[in-house]
Structure formats: structure tokens, C-alpha cells
Amino acid sequence: MLINFLIEFPNFNLFSTPLLILVIQGLVFAFLLFGKYKKKKSISYLILAFILLITCYHRTTYTIGFMDWYDTYRNTKINYYLVSFGLIAVPLIYFYVKSITVSDFRFKRQHLWHFIPGIIYFLIKAIILVYDANQPGFSETQNGYLVQNFQWKYVDPFQSLFSYIQMLVYIVLTLQLYVTYRKNIQQYFSNTYTLELNWIRNFLLIYTLLFVYDIGQTLVDMTITELSWIQKWWLQFLNALAIIYIGIKGYITDTDKLKGLGFNASTAVAFNSTPKDVKESLSEELERNKQTVSGYFDKEKPYLDPDLNLITLSRKLNMSRSQLSEVINEGFGKNFNDFVNTYRVEAVKQMLQNGKQERLSLLGIALECGFNSKATFNRVFKKLTQTSPTEYLKSL
């Protein structure tokens, strides 16, 4: 019997083998993320592990199909146990990004409302299974009465349409959350390069492109020509490749950089440029606070600390975060990041004018002046001086 099983199944071919290899690797990363969550107690690793597991499960259902499972074992009741976890995975992606962009994120009871559609779908599938399993002749058939007359006709089309709508809504919400985060870290941190989460941007871009590909494939299948399983294989293959990228980047990326800083992307203060005539009529209190901040920077040079942020600076100045933010935004007409980096750039220029480049490299000088990476230094220097550090050095 075992020999017959191995002869008939599995069929390792051009379509099943790549999916199988990629899915296995995805499962490995999922369990590595579970281990990292157990070690660091950071919920972002746990959420991403579940996202990978769900994505691997969806690819597995296609992998065994290309291995000829469904053709070889036609009475396995597979349509009762193939459950789409997309209604669960989509909100998880949103909460994953939220868990990274909000300090000390906690999953709360009210967040469960996001998963109600998925829970309802699972209950319907369970009812279909229980009902059909109690009908005469169920053991001799692959699909019972409710699968053929209720699930295929009503549940599956509605679930598919609802999933596309849900994905579109959560893509917009997640992209909005990420864009707001990228904007507001400029108000809180003096060095933002390691906080920009470019891999999350790439992850959301990949997810969006796969969503568009899926919609396009469905429209072609419904309106132009019925696509074969082989033609639909490419979507599964691209999803499997995405699993590996997400698994690797998600595992090696430190998602705890905001931990304990009290930063919330959705509530951070946004910078608004103040008109010149308004700046000239600053209140006396704001003007005093402006002088206090300016004097503190000239005397104590806090900008030399590469980890300086709005919270630590407000504590040193005995100001509230909103008060300090107002001083920098309204008084100096800059966001926090540009304000601090202006001092750092001036410090670099002063060191270059004093000939420090004879002892230190440009990067060494930048690090001494409070920058934390070459990429940040080059980008900020060019932004604030309209010239690169090398070009500026040549001009001296």
C-alpha cells in the first residue's frame, strides 16, 4: 500500500517542487519568529509568524494539488477542510505594521472586531461540514449537499467579493499608517534612518502588487477566458517568493526600537509651516522658550548625542513634549529632525574649517557631531546645504 501511495502521490514536478521548497522555508521562518517572540516578548514577531503560517497554508493547498493529491484521492472531503484564512491574514498585516510603528503596542479586546468576518466564515464552514456529515451516503461522496448547493453558489462568491473589498480597505489603512509614521518620526527623532522601516514599505508594495495581480487574474478568468490551474500557478509562486522575503527581513529586523519611547504614529504632532507675519508676532512665552532652547543647544550641545529625541530633550529642558514641539515648529520654523541636524551640520562644517579632516575621515567627523550613519549624514548634509560633504570639503 505504501508503494502504491508513493507511486501515485506525491508527484514532484516543475510546478509542485518550487512551491514545496519555498513553503518549507517559509514554515522554518515562521517557527524561528515564534522562537524570537518567546525570547523577546515582542508581539510584532508573533503576528508576523501567524501571517507566514497562513500564507504557507494557502500555498500548501495548491502545492498538494500540483502533486496530484486531488486527482489521486477524490474522496478526501478536501473542500470541507480547505478554509481561506485571508479574512484573518489581512487584519493581521495591519496590526503588524501598527505593532512596529506604535511604542509598546498591546493587542486589546476591541481589536477582535477586526476578525469577526473571519470567525463568521469559519462557523459557516463548520455548519456545512456538520450538516453534510450527517447526511446518508456522505462517506461515498466528495462533496455533500450544502457544499454543492450553498457553499459553491453563495458562500464562496460572497466570501471572494468581501475579501477583495476587505483587502482594499486594509491596504489603504495600512499605507496611511505607514506614511503618517514616516512623516511624524521627523518630529520626534534626530536620527531617523534606522527608524524609516524601508523594508515595511517594500513589504506593503509587494502585498499591494500581488493584490492587483490577483484581481486582474480573477477578472480575466471571469470575463475573458477561464484560466487553467497552471496559468494560475504564477500567482502562487510569487506569493511563495514573498514569504521568503518577508520571513528573512522580518526575522533579522529589530522591531523594538520604539519600545519605551511613548511614540504613536497616529497621534504624533504634525509639523505645519508658520507664515512669516505670524512668526514675527510670537508670544512672549514662546519667545522666552525659544531663547531657552537656543541657549541650551549652544552651551550643552545635546545634538552630539545620536539618540537624541523629542522626549529626552523635553525632560532636560523641563518642558512638555507638545510645548517643546511648538517652540521648534513655530519658533524656529522647522521640524525636530531638521532643527537638530542643522546644529550637527554646522558642527561638521566648523570641524572641516578647522582642518579636522587631516586626522579623521568625513564619516568619523560626522559621527563625532551626532550623526549615526554615513547614509544619514550624506542625505542630511545635502538637504541642508544643497551640496555633498565631499563637494563642500573641496570648496574650502
Side-chain angles (χ1 to χ4, degrees), residues 97-105 177 181 258 263-266:
V97 176
K98 197 173 184 69
S99 69
I100 296 177
T101 58
V102 176
S103 298
D104 306 317
F105 172 80
L177 178 65
Y181 166 81
L258 295 177
F263 176 80
N264 187 333
S266 61

Side-chain angles (χ1 to χ4, degrees), residues 216-381:
Q217 177 177 274
T218 302
L219 290 175
V220 170
D221 187 52
M222 293 175 60
T223 61
I224 300 176
T225 181
E226 185 176 351
L227 299 177
S228 66
W229 286 105
I230 294 177
Q231 290 171 316
K232 294 179 180 179
W233 175 84
W234 286 101
L235 177 60
Q236 307 308 318
F237 178 68
L238 292 174
N239 272 283
L241 284 178
I243 292 174
I244 305 305
Y245 173 76
I246 294 168
I248 294 174
K249 295 297 292 186
Y251 181 76
I252 66 176
T253 302
D254 181 10
T255 59
D256 292 333
K257 293 179 180 179
L258 295 177
K259 197 170 184 178
L261 297 179
F263 176 80
N264 187 333
S266 61
T267 59
V269 180
F271 169 67
N272 293 307
S273 180
T274 307
K276 184 177 180 180
D277 58 335
V278 176
K279 292 178 184 177
E280 292 174 350
S281 60
L282 293 171
S283 67
E284 292 183 6
E285 180 183 4
L286 189 58
E287 188 63 44
R288 285 196 303 270
N289 289 334
K290 180 182 175 183
Q291 295 300 323
T292 299
V293 172
S294 181
Y296 183 79
F297 266 71
D298 291 337
K299 182 180 179 181
E300 301 296 335
K301 297 179 172 54
Y303 53 86
L304 298 180
D305 176 11
D307 296 321
L308 182 67
N309 59 64
L310 185 72
I311 300 169
T312 56
L313 183 60
S314 65
R315 290 170 182 167
K316 291 178 180 179
L317 292 169
N318 293 319
M319 294 183 184
S320 66
R321 279 180 286 175
S322 59
Q323 189 179 26
L324 178 58
S325 183
E326 181 185 16
V327 172
I328 294 174
N329 292 172
E330 303 293 337
F332 295 95
K334 299 177 181 179
N335 61 42
F336 179 77
N337 183 264
D338 285 345
F339 175 72
V340 175
N341 283 327
T342 297
Y343 279 89
R344 289 172 176 162
V345 168
E346 289 302 319
V348 169
K349 291 166 69 175
Q350 188 63 48
M351 291 184 72
L352 292 177
Q353 291 170 6
N354 293 337
K356 294 292 184 180
Q357 66 273 16
E358 296 177 4
R359 293 190 302 106
L360 292 172
S361 64
L362 273 174
L363 178 59
I365 294 173
L367 294 177
E368 282 203 0
C369 294
F371 290 102
N372 66 349
S373 71
K374 182 179 180 179
T376 301
F377 169 56
N378 289 332
R379 184 176 60 182
V380 169
F381 195 95

